[in-house]
């Protein structure tokens, strides 16, 4: 299975490396060409001059770009070289409707589209430990098992196209709540004068342990917010969730509150930092020493 990766960011670069390790990677493409050149040289694969050329030379096209509009732009660029026998699996986090629109365009060429958003963060992508939530043809998901296994530890078929993204929305609401809980509790610990390395270690070994505390607890208390997962991208995901909730006639407190907090941090220039930069706002609460909500 000749596989190509489009979008060599925090997630895509690790995914490409693991596909190369499994002997499945043929080709890469990235909008900023220098990233693609460097990675292709490291992995000894070809850099495609454009997405269509990558599609011409690959059976499986993995896309992992930022936003809905970016996914559709990449899909449109692939279309001239898509045909029966080729499959596009999109690992970006986008709206269910956008995944369905991509599916419609890809299907018209005879190729297959799967929405396959991931969880596991940059570390999961680098370690080949991602979890895939797949929507689309179940037989195709099964056929692509070697590709999924090269990049991840688990793939679950959730239903038709869009079901993967709907599942990812559940994940992103949960991630917002975890971010709120961890940043708030650690800011409290720091304000209480505790040894924060010990706090992260001991709390991380008990019932409140979680991935985010383990991976980001130490760095956030030291004031380092290197992504990871960019705050502006989680804002994008929660905006998608907000729309899905509105369709159900519901607004959820965690979603509303986190969107408000992220909006403020983005306005202050922190959108390209990791989502753990929410710690900045929580720390400020203690510095201001008042009881006002953010
Ligand atoms: P990132 O580091 O910001 O990388 C984004 C990638 O998308 C870059 O390669 C960028 O190219 C490319 N891109 C953006 N717009 C494009 C366009 N219009 N045409 C072509 N390429 C375009 O983001 P990331 O963290 O890898 O996230 C990628 C996707 O995975 C997002 O949908 C995100 O929500 C999702 N995700 C992220 C994580 C995480 O922990 N980071 C976890 C799960 C899912 P340039 O290099 O030219 O900018």
């Amino acid at each position: 299975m000749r596989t190509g990766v489009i979008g060599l960011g925090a997630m895509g670069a690790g995914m490409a490396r693991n596909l190369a390790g499994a002997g499945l990677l043929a080709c890469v493409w990235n909008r900023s060409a220098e990233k693609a050149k460097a990675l292709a040289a490291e992995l000894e694969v070809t850099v495609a001059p454009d997405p269509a050329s990558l599609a011409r030379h690959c059976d499986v096209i993995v896309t992992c770009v930022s936003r809905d509009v970016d996914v559709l732009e990449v899909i449109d660029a692939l279309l001239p070289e898509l045909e029966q026998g080729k499959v596009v699996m999109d690992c970006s986090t986008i709206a269910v409707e956008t995944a369905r629109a991509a599916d419609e365009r890809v299907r018209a060429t005879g190729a297959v589209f799967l929405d396959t958003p991931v969880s596991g963060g940059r570390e999961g992508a680098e370690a080949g430990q991602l979890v895939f939530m797949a929507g689309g043809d179940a037989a195709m998901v099964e056929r692509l098992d070697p590709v999924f296994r090269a990049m991840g530890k688990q793939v679950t078929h959730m239903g038709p196209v869009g079901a993967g993204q709907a599942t990812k929305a559940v994940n992103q609401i949960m991630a917002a709540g975890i971010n709120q809980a961890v940043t708030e509790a650690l800011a409290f610990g720091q304000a209480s004068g505790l040894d924060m390395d010990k706090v992260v270690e001991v709390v991380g070994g008990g019932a409140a342990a979680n991935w985010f505390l383990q991976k980001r607890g130490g760095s956030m208390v030291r004031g380092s917010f290197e992504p990871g997962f960019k705050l502006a991208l989680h804002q994008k995901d929660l905006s998608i969730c907000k729309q899905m909730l509105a369709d159900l006639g519901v607004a959820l407190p965690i979603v509303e509150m986190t969107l408000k907090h992220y909006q403020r941090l983005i306005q202050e220039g922190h959108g390209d930092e990791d989502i753990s930069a929410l710690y900045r706002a929580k720390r400020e609460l203690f510095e201001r020493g008042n009881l006002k909500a953010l």
Side-chain angles (χ1 to χ4, degrees), residues 46-120:
T46 310
V47 185
D50 49 59
S53 309
L54 181 141
R56 186 158 60 246
H57 292 109
C58 295
D59 315 304
V60 181
I61 299 127
V62 179
T63 55
C64 192
V65 297
S66 308
R67 296 165 186 276
D68 296 53
V69 63
D70 305 314
V71 171
L72 291 178
E73 202 179 303
V74 165
I75 294 287
D76 284 344
L78 294 170
L79 292 178
E81 295 292 342
L82 292 181
E83 59 188 11
Q84 200 170 4
K86 295 191 188 275
V87 54
V88 180
M89 47 176 284
D90 179 44
C91 300
S92 324
T93 305
I94 54 172
V96 170
E97 295 71 34
T98 310
R100 290 188 185 135
D103 173 50
E104 214 169 286
R105 295 180 198 186
V106 169
R107 216 158 7 99
T109 69
V112 171
F113 178 84
L114 300 175
D115 60 314
T116 56
V118 296
S119 178

Side-chain angles (χ1 to χ4, degrees), residues 7-231:
L8 305 171
M11 300 302 286
M15 291 158 77
R17 280 197 182 91
N18 287 311
L19 284 166
L24 294 170
L25 189 72
C27 207
V28 292
W29 181 81
N30 193 69
R31 181 179 59 180
S32 312
E34 60 287 359
K35 270 193 213 167
K37 263 194 215 154
L39 193 67
E42 174 197 324
L43 302 178
E44 298 178 353
V45 298
T46 310
V47 185
D50 49 59
S53 309
L54 181 141
R56 186 158 60 246
H57 292 109
C58 295
D59 315 304
V60 181
I61 299 127
V62 179
T63 55
C64 192
V65 297
S66 308
R67 296 165 186 276
D68 296 53
V69 63
D70 305 314
V71 171
L72 291 178
E73 202 179 303
V74 165
I75 294 287
D76 284 344
L78 294 170
L79 292 178
E81 295 292 342
L82 292 181
E83 59 188 11
Q84 200 170 4
K86 295 191 188 275
V87 54
V88 180
M89 47 176 284
D90 179 44
C91 300
S92 324
T93 305
I94 54 172
V96 170
E97 295 71 34
T98 310
R100 290 188 185 135
D103 173 50
E104 214 169 286
R105 295 180 198 186
V106 169
R107 216 158 7 99
T109 69
V112 171
F113 178 84
L114 300 175
D115 60 314
T116 56
V118 296
S119 178
R122 180 198 274 264
E123 289 90 339
E126 285 168 356
Q129 292 291 303
L130 292 173
V131 169
F132 289 87
M133 308 155 199
D137 182 59
M140 182 56 85
V141 172
E142 212 166 297
R143 226 185 91 199
L144 292 190
D145 197 58
V147 174
F148 286 117
R149 294 286 157 204
M151 298 186 281
K153 60 179 179 185
Q154 187 185 326
V155 53
T156 302
H157 181 253
M158 299 304 304
V161 167
Q165 293 297 349
T167 310
K168 176 70 183 180
V170 174
N171 187 85
Q172 294 313 76
I173 293 175
M174 212 176 284
I178 291 167
N179 192 5
Q180 289 287 353
V182 171
T183 53
E184 206 160 290
L186 292 187
F188 167 61
Q190 196 159 49
S192 304
L194 291 167
D195 178 330
M196 292 310 291
D197 285 336
K198 285 188 178 169
V199 169
V200 169
E201 192 189 330
V202 69
V203 175
N210 62 78
W211 185 97
F212 186 67
L213 172 64
Q214 236 173 30
K215 304 287 184 196
R216 304 284 179 262
S219 52
M220 80 173 78
V221 297
R222 282 189 292 279
S224 166
F225 308 109
E226 275 294 303
F229 182 33
K230 287 177 190 157
L231 191 143

